[in-house]
Amino acid sequence: MRSYSPVLLAFARLSGMLLVWVILVSICLSGCKPASTLNVAPPVTPPIAATVTTPPSATISAPVVYAASFDNNLYALDTTTGQPRWVFKADTSIQSSPAVAYGMVYVGSNDYNLYAIDGDTGKKRWAFKTGGIVYSSPTIANGIVYVGSQDGKIYAIDATIGSLLWLFTNSFGFYSSPTVANGLVYIGGQDNRVYALDAATGLLRWVSSADYFILSSPIVANGLVYVGSQDGKLYALDATTGKQRWTFKTGSAVDSSPVVANGVVYVGSADQHLYALDATTGQQRWSFSTNGVVYSSPVIANGIVYIGSRDHNVYAVNASTGQQVWSFSTSFDIYSTPVVASGVVYIGSNDYSLYALDAVTGRKRWSFRTGGIVVSSPVVAQKNRITGTYPTVSGGGK
């Protein structure tokens, strides 16, 4: 593993994903090849388990929001008071966003592990060790957890017992989070490519190239895969073949993960804007300007787009017109993607805090201070309380 100076490590504490971006840029400037020169078919390890263990039917009834921090902890916080119910400690910082299923919370860690944690007690059920940092956020479908790692592999893991079902090996890492639809797993790679893999076997179905590496997580809607790239474009690809349907060029990198609602795709850009585009044609409907880079991903709930910015603000924007409804200022940059549940917006900030804001007015309900920056996106335990449409990176339900 590459080592970094104390100054750079201190910088990581302050800038979260920006450090990851800088490292990836330096790596790609020195080693990334154009996508057209890479091997198209990385090897796949045959499935180890023929069947998936039947997942438990357990659900989480407590009103809890889960949030991870660079202080190594995953917190279960009471949604009414913001006080912790329990705390799970990993071996190092957590940047991956948690996901809830089968009464468990799944989250990746910078200690190379994917953890499965009991959602009620905070006790570890199992841990699966990969060969690299797990920035990618897990996606769960049909008893399987899918997650990417900086070791260049995508893992399919039995959600109940933590055993490996299959893995897909690439030459570069996966920061992007997978999405599962139509029996396929879609994910963006740091080799400038979007992959579609068979969800049951891991076999490669198609691959499509961008002009630079991909940190954005894809979302699938209406037969199309939407994903952003460091080349400044949002791509719309045919979900069955990977053929490019259209691209939309912004003024800078698109690390934000897109979301689609009511025929419109919304995405943020490092050019400091939130964009609303026609999901079929890619034509711009409107753009909303912030005063900072937008790494956060948008969520749509009750006709409002919620998103964070590096200008320290959370914004609520009318989804139809692009007009600001309200903004709330934190004390530092925001990379986290919000979740909306029972009329409350939950979002992390690099000021070390998780905030609970009134979804209509933006007024603060409470805040909880952790011991590190919060770039991870929160998730609410009771999915029937969650409203809105979410990008893959969010732990929220669709």
Side-chain angles (χ1 to χ4, degrees), residues 21 230 250-256 268-273 292-295:
W21 182 89
Q230 274 279 316
T250 74
S252 191
V254 181
D255 296 332
S256 172
S269 171
D271 68 7
Q272 305 187 7
H273 286 82
V293 170
V294 180
Y295 289 139

Side-chain angles (χ1 to χ4, degrees), residues 45-63:
T45 298
I48 293 173
T51 59
V52 178
T53 305
T54 302
S57 58
T59 59
I60 304 167
S61 58

Side-chain angles (χ1 to χ4, degrees), residues 260-330:
V260 180
N262 301 317
V264 181
V265 55
Y266 302 87
V267 72
S269 171
D271 68 7
Q272 305 187 7
H273 286 82
L274 167 68
Y275 291 95
L277 314 172
D278 186 285
T280 302
T281 66
Q283 294 297 308
Q284 183 176 313
R285 296 278 188 91
W286 53 257
S287 67
F288 174 81
S289 178
T290 75
N291 293 310
V293 170
V294 180
Y295 289 139
S296 174
S297 302
V299 303
I300 317 297
N302 302 316
I304 303 295
V305 186
Y306 300 95
I307 197 166
S309 170
R310 286 199 65 197
D311 65 8
H312 307 183
N313 288 307
V314 184
Y315 292 96
V317 180
N318 185 289
S320 299
T321 66
Q323 297 299 306
Q324 181 175 311
V325 177
W326 55 256
S327 66
F328 176 85
S329 182
T330 71

Side-chain angles (χ1 to χ4, degrees), residues 349-398:
S349 171
N350 287 13
D351 66 7
Y352 291 22
S353 296
L354 179 80
Y355 291 89
L357 311 174
D358 186 282
V360 175
T361 66
R363 180 180 60 85
K364 185 174 77 172
R365 296 280 189 90
W366 53 258
S367 63
F368 176 80
R369 186 170 177 83
T370 75
I373 62 175
V374 183
V375 300
S376 172
S377 303
V379 60
V380 174
Q382 298 168 297
K383 289 201 170 185
N384 60 331
R385 301 290 184 92
I386 297 174
T387 55
T389 309
Y390 292 79
T392 303
V393 71
S394 174
K398 294 181 175 63

Side-chain angles (χ1 to χ4, degrees), residues 148-330:
S149 172
Q150 288 298 297
D151 64 5
K153 295 180 173 65
I154 301 168
Y155 294 87
I157 302 165
D158 188 297
T160 305
I161 60 176
S163 61
L164 179 65
L165 298 173
W166 57 256
L167 62 82
F168 176 88
T169 303
N170 193 14
S171 301
F172 292 87
F174 291 96
Y175 183 98
S176 175
S177 302
T179 190
V180 180
N182 312 315
L184 298 177
V185 179
Y186 303 90
I187 193 169
Q190 287 159 216
D191 61 353
N192 314 348
R193 292 170 174 263
V194 181
Y195 292 91
L197 311 175
D198 187 282
T201 65
L203 294 174
L204 180 66
R205 295 305 183 194
W206 57 254
V207 62
S208 182
S209 298
D211 293 329
Y212 208 26
F213 63 88
I214 298 170
L215 304 186
S216 172
S217 301
I219 191 168
V220 181
N222 306 315
L224 296 179
V225 180
Y226 303 89
V227 67
S229 170
Q230 274 279 316
D231 62 18
K233 297 175 184 176
L234 180 72
Y235 289 83
L237 311 172
D238 186 284
T240 303
T241 65
K243 182 178 180 181
Q244 188 178 117
R245 293 285 189 87
W246 56 257
T247 63
F248 177 82
K249 178 71 173 175
T250 74
S252 191
V254 181
D255 296 332
S256 172
S257 299
V259 64
V260 180
N262 301 317
V264 181
V265 55
Y266 302 87
V267 72
S269 171
D271 68 7
Q272 305 187 7
H273 286 82
L274 167 68
Y275 291 95
L277 314 172
D278 186 285
T280 302
T281 66
Q283 294 297 308
Q284 183 176 313
R285 296 278 188 91
W286 53 257
S287 67
F288 174 81
S289 178
T290 75
N291 293 310
V293 170
V294 180
Y295 289 139
S296 174
S297 302
V299 303
I300 317 297
N302 302 316
I304 303 295
V305 186
Y306 300 95
I307 197 166
S309 170
R310 286 199 65 197
D311 65 8
H312 307 183
N313 288 307
V314 184
Y315 292 96
V317 180
N318 185 289
S320 299
T321 66
Q323 297 299 306
Q324 181 175 311
V325 177
W326 55 256
S327 66
F328 176 85
S329 182
T330 71

